[in-house]
Structures are given as structure tokens and as C-alpha cells.
């Protein structure tokens, strides 16, 4: 890469408000060029270099497919055999979260047709998430695209069963070591703490480091742009594969967009270009955004990693700048672009407030209604509130209130915002206003008022439950985990680290809300002996998810051991400070 291109990449990172960026470019006969830009942590200004590790998110899936195809080559796995034949009834029921006989006959027959090819090319007909609701097939396998990370998690279980090895060990043996990917791994190690990029939200605020305790075949890869480029180079060259396996690997299978000529192969997106097919994938896991595209016939490609919500805003520009290709597989409308009017307005709002920008907002509604309509303004307000920027988020909601003075929905959003900000007086004011408006607003779900009313009541008049009862409820329920700290119940949706724990507020004996938000609640189901058997997640009034209490409670024991270790370290630090 020339100094001019490096300078342009650095400028893109800067204008895109991306704290940390890592780029690797593959060129035939030139090898791999890589460089880090910006910071692992915006506040600490710790620089990103070529060895800094990022969460790759969905860029994990192509590596899982590579592993599976290696097992196909070795005769361990059959790509076209029903995956149900690889699992016992007990294993399958543990995966879907309930007995098979709860699935109707037609869906059972469809499920029996699912094979590995269907799962990796997103045409298995299964939902995106499995295990927390009653399993249903969306359609017969092989009919159409049904994007689902859950398919890779099912292959994860099958690969471990067939080989007798953990997924992270298989990745190391089949991928990392042979390809010399020295800065890649599938689960967290404490030694990574100094070399990991930290996620940042839309406004550059650092988020907690996520420490994956268990490998996830769809999303847990930690890697560098250079290591990932080594993997792409191996795929483009067909390294380690038979010709038959390579042809199976990159063959277009599932049509996504006929006009744009976008397909799914096995975990890779395919876009048909005049110069030949390009293979691509994007990663989007909260605040980590990544992307690659590579052209096997040209041995040309780019992969980049970011630690920012804004990471995809430069995708199109960066790809064109470095390899002169487009990114048709990535819908630019799905992500704010680095030079977007929305981004410019948000920055002005942060710097000067809504009062100074109110005339500009009204003008933008007229001149750019697609970007500044009611829906998009609510979306911007949501992201301000998610970043704990309550003044900006609430000011945007209030601008909508002025535009729609009879909307119960907007008043309800203001009630939630003030509750989270801790202003109970304003929350009560808008709850009352929501109730009044809901009498005439027939589009508003009035049951939501009961949720906020019950939550406010529980905050003002706490329900005190005996600690021994809370200890009975504590435990691992699927991925969910509950523990007791002091006199309170704490919860993590997908436990990876003690920082994930959230305090819960009792709404009744069996139902709890998160202290940070009342719309998601947990309801415990007890058997006739009073023992908890199931935790039901109540998501507003829209849907429910359930997880059965695990027979194995190792996750709870591990969590409690970590809590004890943390508590001990805090006490030791306090004693040292007193001694000084």
C-alpha cells in the first residue's frame, strides 16, 4: 500500500468516528499487507497494531464451514446426510429445548430432511434462534433463503460428537496451526486482556470486554485482520482440500438477490462480478463490525476489523480504495454511512444541543424525508438513550411529541427514558399522560401501561423475598444464569463474565424485571413440590422465550467461584489501602 492510501484509510477511520481499525489486503504475487489504525480503547488511547485481536462475529461462520469440509474430506461427516441421524433423541431435544413430540408431523418430516449443506448455505428452513421457543420450521429445506446462525451451532454439536474434541481444539488443529494463525482463538483467555480491542458504541463510548467462556461456531472467533487474510488466502488457493471438496465449498447454492446476483455458498456470500465471483461475509456483533471480500480467480481480497458500531459506515469506501471493488452484498441503507446527514446531525446535536439544531432538524425533515422521518428519528433517539445520553435522546423524543401530541406511543417512550434516567417525577407525569392518550390512540398496546405501572410500584414499595427462596430459584437455565448477591437475585442472558450480571426487581413471588428496564421480565415455573423447573422470558407483550433448568449446574458453580474470587480481591485491595 502506498503512503497515500494509508493516509486515506486513516482519514476514513477519523471521519467515520471509528476508534480502532485493522486492515489486511491480499494481492497476487505481493503477499499480505496489514496495518492497524486508531485505538483499542478510545479513552485510554492504546494504539491498535497488527497483532491486536478483534471479535470477528459472523466472520466465524466461514471457518466453521472450512472445518466441516475438512471433516467431509476425511470421511467423518456427510454433507448430504440428515443431521438428525448424527444426534440421539436426547441430544436433539436438549438442543431445541423441548421434547420432539411437541412438534407437529409436517414439521418433523421437514426437519428430518435437513443436512449440513442446508445449514451452511442458509436454506434449512429453521429460525435464527433455537432453544427458547417452541421449535417450528419456517419452510421445507432447500426451498429458499432462511438465514440462521442456529444451524452453525447445531453443526458445532455434531462436530464435537463425531471427533470427541471441543470446537476450540478442532479449530486449532485444523485451521489455526496449519495456517499459522498465531493470534486467533475461539474462547477467552486471560492473557488476551492487554491485546484485545474494546468495543465502542455509536458515540465512541467504550463497552465492557466480552469474555466468551464457550466457543460459538457462529460468532466467537477472536482474530486479527492478518490472520483472517491467511485463512482467505488458503481458501482462494484451495489449500488442504481435495478438488471435489473445494468445488462443493464455494459453489453458489442459495439465491438471495437475483438482480444483484447475490448467493450463499457454504457460509460465504457470493457476488457475481464481471471479473469473476467474489466471496464475502460481514460481521456484526453489537459494537464490533467487520467485513471481507475476496476474488479467488484474481487472488485479491481485503478484510478489515473494527471495534465500533460505526464500522460498516466505511465498508464501501474502504473496499473501493484498497482493491477497487464494490460491496453489493452489503446493503448501504442498512448502516449509517460515514458521510451521512444523520451522522453529521448527531455530532451537531452532541456539541450544541437540540435547541440550537431545531431549525436544522425541521429543514432536514423537509429536504431529506427518507433519512429524517418519524421512524428514523426514533431510531436515533434509541441509540442516544442506549449510550446513556439521556438529554439528547429525550430531546429527540420531545420533538416527536410536539409533532404528534396525541401519540400515546411517544409518551410511553418518554416514560421509559425518564425511568432509566432516574427521574421518577417525569416518568410518572408521562405515564399519566400515556394513560390519558391511550383512551383515544387505538394503535397503542394498553397492556404496556400495566408493565410500567407494576414496575414503578415495585420500585416505590419493594417486595422483599426470603433469601432462601431466592437461592432455590438461582441456577443455570439453558444459557441463562441466576445467582444471589446479598439479598438480591442477579441475572445474565448469556453468561460470559460477571460484569454481565444485572440486578432483578421482584414484581411478584415468581416474576422479576431487570432493574435497568421493565419490559423484559423473567417468570419462574415451579413444580408441585415448589422446585423451579423453567425460566420464561417475557419480552414486552410480544413473545415469550423459555429455558429449562439444567440438570448440570456447573455454570452456576463457576459463576459463584468467580464472584467469591472477585469479592476476595476487593477485600484484599481494601485492606491494603487501609494499611497504607
Amino acid at each position: 500500500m502506498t503512503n497515500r492510501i494509508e493516509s486515506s484509510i486513516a482519514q476514513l477511520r477519523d471521519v467515520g468516528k471509528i476508534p480502532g481499525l485493522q486492515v489486511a489486503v491480499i494481492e497476487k504475487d505481493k503477499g499480505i499487507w496489514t496495518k492497524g489504525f486508531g485505538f483499542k480503547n478510545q479513552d485510554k488511547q492504546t494504539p491498535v497494531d497488527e497483532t491486536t485481536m478483534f471479535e470477528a462475529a459472523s466472520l466465524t461462520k466461514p471457518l466453521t464451514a472450512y472445518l466441516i469440509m475438512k471433516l467431509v474430506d476425511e470421511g467423518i461427516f456427510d454433507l448430504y446426510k440428515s443431521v438428525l441421524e448424527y444426534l440421539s433423541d436426547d441430544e436433539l431435544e436438549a438442543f431445541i429445548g423441548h421434547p420432539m413430540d411437541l412438534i407437529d408431523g409436517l414439521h418433523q418430516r421437514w426437519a428430518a430432511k435437513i443436512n449440513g449443506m442446508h445449514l451452511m448455505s442458509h436454506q434449512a428452513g429453521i429460525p435464527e434462534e433455537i432453544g427458547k421457543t417452541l421449535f417450528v420450521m419456517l419452510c421445507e429445506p432447500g426451498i429458499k433463503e432462511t438465514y440462521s446462525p442456529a444451524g452453525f451451532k447445531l453443526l458445532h454439536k455434531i462436530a464435537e460428537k463425531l471427533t470427541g474434541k471441543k470446537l476450540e481444539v478442532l479449530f486449532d488443529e485444523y485451521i489455526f496451526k496449519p495456517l499459522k494463525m498465531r493470534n486467533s482463538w475461539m474462547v477467552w483467555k486471560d492473557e488476551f486482556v492487554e491485546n484485545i480491542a474494546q468495543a465502542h458504541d455509536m458515540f465512541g463510548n467504550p463497552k465492557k470486554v466480552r469474555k466468551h467462556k464457550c466457543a460459538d461456531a457462529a460468532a466467537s472467533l477472536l482474530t486479527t485482520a492478518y490472520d483472517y487474510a491467511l485463512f482467505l488466502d488458503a481458501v482462494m488457493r484451495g489449500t488442504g482440500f481435495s478438488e471435489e471438496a473445494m468445488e462443493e465449498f464455494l459453489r453458489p447454492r442459495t439465491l438471495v438477490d437475483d438482480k444483484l446476483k447475490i448467493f450463499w455458498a457454504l457460509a460465504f456470500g457470493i457476488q457475481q462480478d464481471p471479473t469473476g465471483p467474489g466471496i464475502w461475509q460481514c460481521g456484526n456483533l453489537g459494537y464490533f463490525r467487520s467485513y471481507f471480500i475476496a476474488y479467488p480467480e484474481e487472488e485479491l481480497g481485503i478484510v478489515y476489523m473494527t471495534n465500533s458500531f460505526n464500522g460498516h459506515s466505511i465498508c464501501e469506501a474502504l473496499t473501493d480504495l484498497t482493491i477497487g471493488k464494490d460491496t453489493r452484498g452489503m446493503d448501504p441503507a442498512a448502516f449509517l454511512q460515514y458521510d451521512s446527514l444523520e451522522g453529521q446531525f448527531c455530532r451537531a446535536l452532541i456539541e450544541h444541543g437540540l435547541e440550537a439544531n431545531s431549525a436544522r432538524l425541521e429543514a432536514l425533515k423537509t429536504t431529506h424525508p427518507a433519512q429524517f422521518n418519524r421512524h428514523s428519528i426514533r431510531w436515533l433517539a434509541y441509540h442516544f438513550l442506549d449510550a446513556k445520553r439521556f438529554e439528547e435522546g429525550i430531546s429527540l423524543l420531545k420533538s416527536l411529541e410536539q409533532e404528534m401530541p396525541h401519540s400515546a406511543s411517544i409518551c410511553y417512550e418518554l416514560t421509559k427514558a425518564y425511568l432509566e434516567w432516574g427521574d421518577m417525577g417525569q416518568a410518572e407525569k408521562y405515564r399519566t399522560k400515556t394513560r390519558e392518550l391511550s383512551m383515544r390512540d387505538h394503535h397503542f398496546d394498553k397492556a404496556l401501561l400495566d408493565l410500567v405501572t407494576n414496575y414503578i410500584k415495585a420500585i416505590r414499595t419493594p417486595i422483599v423475598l426470603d433469601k432462601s427462596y431466592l437461592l432455590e430459584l438461582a441456577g443455570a437455565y439453558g444459557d441463562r444464569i441466576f445467582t444471589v448477591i446479598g439479598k438480591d437475585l442477579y441475572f445474565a442472558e448469556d453468561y460470559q463474565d460477571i460484569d454481565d450480571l444485572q440486578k432483578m426487581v421482584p414484581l411478584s413471588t415468581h416474576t422479576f424485571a431487570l432493574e435497568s428496564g421493565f419490559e423484559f421480565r423473567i417468570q419462574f415455573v415451579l413444580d408441585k413440590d415448589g422446585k423451579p423447573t423453567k425460566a420464561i422470558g417475557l419480552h414486552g407483550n410480544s413473545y415469550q422465550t423459555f429455558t429449562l433448568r439444567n440438570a448440570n449446574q456447573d455454570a452456576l458453580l463457576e459463576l459463584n467461584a468467580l464472584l467469591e474470587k472477585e469479592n476476595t480481591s476487593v477485600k484484599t485491595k481494601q485492606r491494603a489501602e487501609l494499611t497504607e
Side-chain angles (χ1 to χ4, degrees):
M1 289 290 116
T2 66
N3 290 336
R4 180 187 63 80
I5 291 179
E6 284 191 30
S7 177
S8 296
I9 294 173
Q11 186 178 9
L12 267 180
R13 181 200 72 82
D14 186 51
V15 297
K17 303 299 180 183
I18 297 168
L21 168 68
Q22 201 180 60
V23 183
V25 175
I26 310 161
E27 291 186 274
K28 186 177 182 180
D29 300 327
K30 292 184 180 180
I32 299 170
W33 171 88
T34 187
K35 190 174 178 64
F37 301 84
F39 307 103
K40 300 175 191 175
N41 181 296
Q42 182 82 9
D43 290 349
K44 296 179 180 178
Q45 298 280 289
T46 47
V48 169
D49 61 25
E50 291 80 4
T51 66
T52 301
M53 299 172 76
F54 288 74
E55 288 191 38
S58 285
L59 267 62
T60 307
K61 294 183 180 78
L63 274 76
T64 299
Y66 183 95
L67 168 65
I68 295 298
M69 292 310 297
K70 295 285 283 185
L71 298 181
V72 169
D73 244 2
E74 293 180 3
I76 295 173
F77 182 77
D78 185 336
L79 194 61
Y80 297 99
K81 180 178 177 180
S82 169
V83 292
L84 271 60
E85 295 183 34
Y86 288 107
L87 299 172
S88 68
D89 288 347
D90 287 344
E91 290 167 332
L92 187 60
E93 289 178 357
F95 182 74
I96 65 174
H98 59 77
M100 282 292 288
D101 59 17
L102 293 180
I103 306 173
D104 68 47
L106 175 62
H107 286 203
Q108 284 198 36
R109 290 192 294 274
W110 282 355
K113 297 180 181 180
I114 299 172
N115 58 39
M117 183 277 292
H118 292 139
L119 293 174
M120 290 190 286
S121 59
H122 299 292
Q123 55 174 307
I126 61 176
E128 288 196 26
E129 187 175 25
I130 292 175
K132 294 181 180 177
T133 59
L134 184 66
F135 176 78
V136 293
M137 294 286 293
L138 304 178
C139 63
E140 187 175 3
I143 299 298
K144 63 179 181 179
E145 182 202 15
T146 48
Y147 184 85
S148 177
F152 288 83
K153 297 180 181 183
L154 182 56
L155 288 169
H156 172 170
K157 292 188 175 298
I158 293 171
E160 289 189 340
K161 180 179 180 180
L162 293 177
T163 61
K165 297 177 180 179
K166 300 291 287 182
L167 189 69
E168 57 266 32
V169 175
L170 293 171
F171 267 59
D172 193 41
E173 291 182 358
Y174 282 88
I175 305 174
F176 299 153
K177 284 178 179 174
L179 302 183
K180 296 182 171 55
M181 296 172 66
R182 296 187 174 93
N183 291 294
S184 299
W185 199 245
M186 284 291 285
V187 293
W188 176 258
K189 292 182 178 181
D190 288 340
E191 65 198 61
F192 297 158
V193 71
E194 297 298 327
N195 199 38
I196 195 77
Q198 195 165 347
H200 296 74
D201 67 20
M202 183 178 180
F203 308 102
N205 301 310
K207 312 300 286 187
K208 294 173 183 175
V209 172
R210 192 161 23 205
K211 300 177 181 178
H212 292 279
K213 302 294 183 183
C214 302
D216 181 340
S220 72
L221 175 65
L222 297 169
T223 191
T224 65
Y226 177 75
D227 271 16
Y228 207 93
L230 289 172
F231 166 70
L232 290 177
D233 189 54
V235 170
M236 289 194 287
R237 294 171 182 270
T239 303
F241 280 129
S242 65
E243 288 186 16
E244 294 81 5
M246 194 64 201
E247 196 279 329
E248 289 275 16
F249 197 16
L250 298 182
R251 176 156 57 90
R253 297 173 183 274
T254 309
L255 178 64
V256 178
D257 189 312
D258 189 32
K259 183 179 180 180
L260 295 177
K261 302 302 178 188
I262 304 296
F263 302 83
W264 283 116
L266 300 184
F268 287 93
I270 301 283
Q271 66 179 52
Q272 299 289 2
D273 287 2
T275 56
I279 58 174
W280 64 273
Q281 179 62 273
C282 66
N284 177 2
L285 189 61
Y287 303 107
F288 281 94
R289 304 288 169 96
S290 52
Y291 175 79
F292 74 78
I293 189 164
Y295 291 83
E297 293 179 10
E298 299 178 68
E299 292 183 33
L300 175 70
I302 177 179
V303 54
Y304 79 88
M305 308 275 177
T306 77
N307 59 349
S308 172
F309 174 91
N310 302 319
H312 285 150
S313 71
I314 64 170
C315 183
E316 193 171 22
L318 182 59
T319 303
D320 179 55
L321 174 67
T322 52
I323 65 171
K325 300 289 186 178
D326 68 39
T327 57
R328 278 178 289 122
M330 287 280 288
D331 178 7
F335 307 99
L336 285 182
Q337 298 304 295
Y338 73 94
D339 55 355
S340 68
L341 285 171
E342 298 98 317
Q344 294 173 32
F345 174 76
C346 286
R347 289 190 282 275
L349 184 59
I350 291 171
E351 291 175 15
H352 306 295
L354 185 62
E355 187 173 345
N357 285 280
S358 58
R360 182 182 183 185
L361 178 59
E362 292 307 312
L364 287 168
K365 288 179 184 178
T366 302
T367 58
H368 296 83
Q371 292 104 310
F372 290 90
N373 53 44
R374 294 171 180 177
H375 173 76
S376 59
I377 292 171
R378 285 179 82 161
W379 183 87
L380 291 174
Y382 165 80
H383 283 287
F384 275 110
L385 295 171
D386 183 59
K388 309 301 181 188
R389 301 195 68 99
F390 294 104
E391 290 186 17
E392 292 93 345
I394 287 173
S395 68
L396 285 174
L397 290 176
K398 284 193 169 183
S399 75
L400 291 175
E401 182 190 15
Q402 291 178 353
E403 186 178 334
M404 299 180 287
H406 303 298
S407 170
S409 178
I410 294 298
C411 284
Y412 176 72
E413 293 297 327
L414 281 162
T415 304
K416 290 198 301 179
Y418 278 116
L419 270 177
E420 190 174 353
W421 200 8
D423 190 334
M424 193 65 74
Q426 286 294 315
E428 279 279 27
K429 170 187 169 182
Y430 275 98
R431 182 183 71 89
T432 301
K433 191 171 182 179
T434 303
R435 184 175 295 280
E436 292 170 354
L437 292 174
S438 69
M439 301 300 179
R440 299 184 298 275
D441 187 344
H442 302 298
H443 299 290
F444 180 70
D445 183 357
K446 297 178 180 59
L448 292 172
L449 274 170
D450 294 332
L451 299 184
V452 68
T453 299
N454 291 337
Y455 180 78
I456 290 174
K457 180 180 177 182
I459 293 295
R460 287 192 160 167
T461 311
I463 297 172
V464 179
L465 298 175
D466 192 80
K467 184 174 181 178
S468 61
Y469 172 69
L470 296 179
L471 289 169
E472 283 283 339
L473 297 179
Y477 298 71
D479 291 333
R480 291 171 173 152
I481 190 162
F482 302 86
T483 192
V484 177
I485 302 175
K487 297 180 180 180
D488 297 302
L489 191 66
Y490 282 73
F491 160 77
E493 178 66 52
D494 184 3
Y495 167 66
Q496 299 294 348
D497 185 51
I498 57 175
D499 289 338
D500 295 332
L501 289 170
Q502 301 181 70
K503 186 178 177 181
M504 306 201 76
V505 176
L507 301 178
S508 69
T509 308
H510 303 324
T511 305
F512 297 74
L514 296 181
E515 187 178 54
S516 59
F518 58 88
E519 285 195 340
F520 176 73
R521 293 143 292 139
I522 287 287
Q523 184 179 79
F524 291 95
V525 177
L526 311 183
D527 64 16
K528 56 183 175 60
D529 297 320
K531 301 294 184 183
T533 61
K534 185 189 299 184
I536 301 175
L538 307 172
H539 302 256
N541 287 316
S542 56
Y543 68 100
Q544 300 181 3
T545 57
F546 62 83
T547 43
L548 302 177
R549 186 177 175 89
N550 300 347
N552 184 324
Q553 289 293 311
D554 286 349
L556 177 63
L557 296 174
E558 180 186 352
L559 171 60
N560 287 336
L562 282 171
L563 288 170
E564 180 61 31
K565 180 180 178 182
E566 180 76 7
N567 191 40
T568 301
S569 66
V570 169
K571 289 178 179 176
T572 301
K573 181 180 178 182
Q574 289 172 340
R575 283 197 296 270
E577 289 171 349
L578 287 171
T579 303
E580 292 173 2

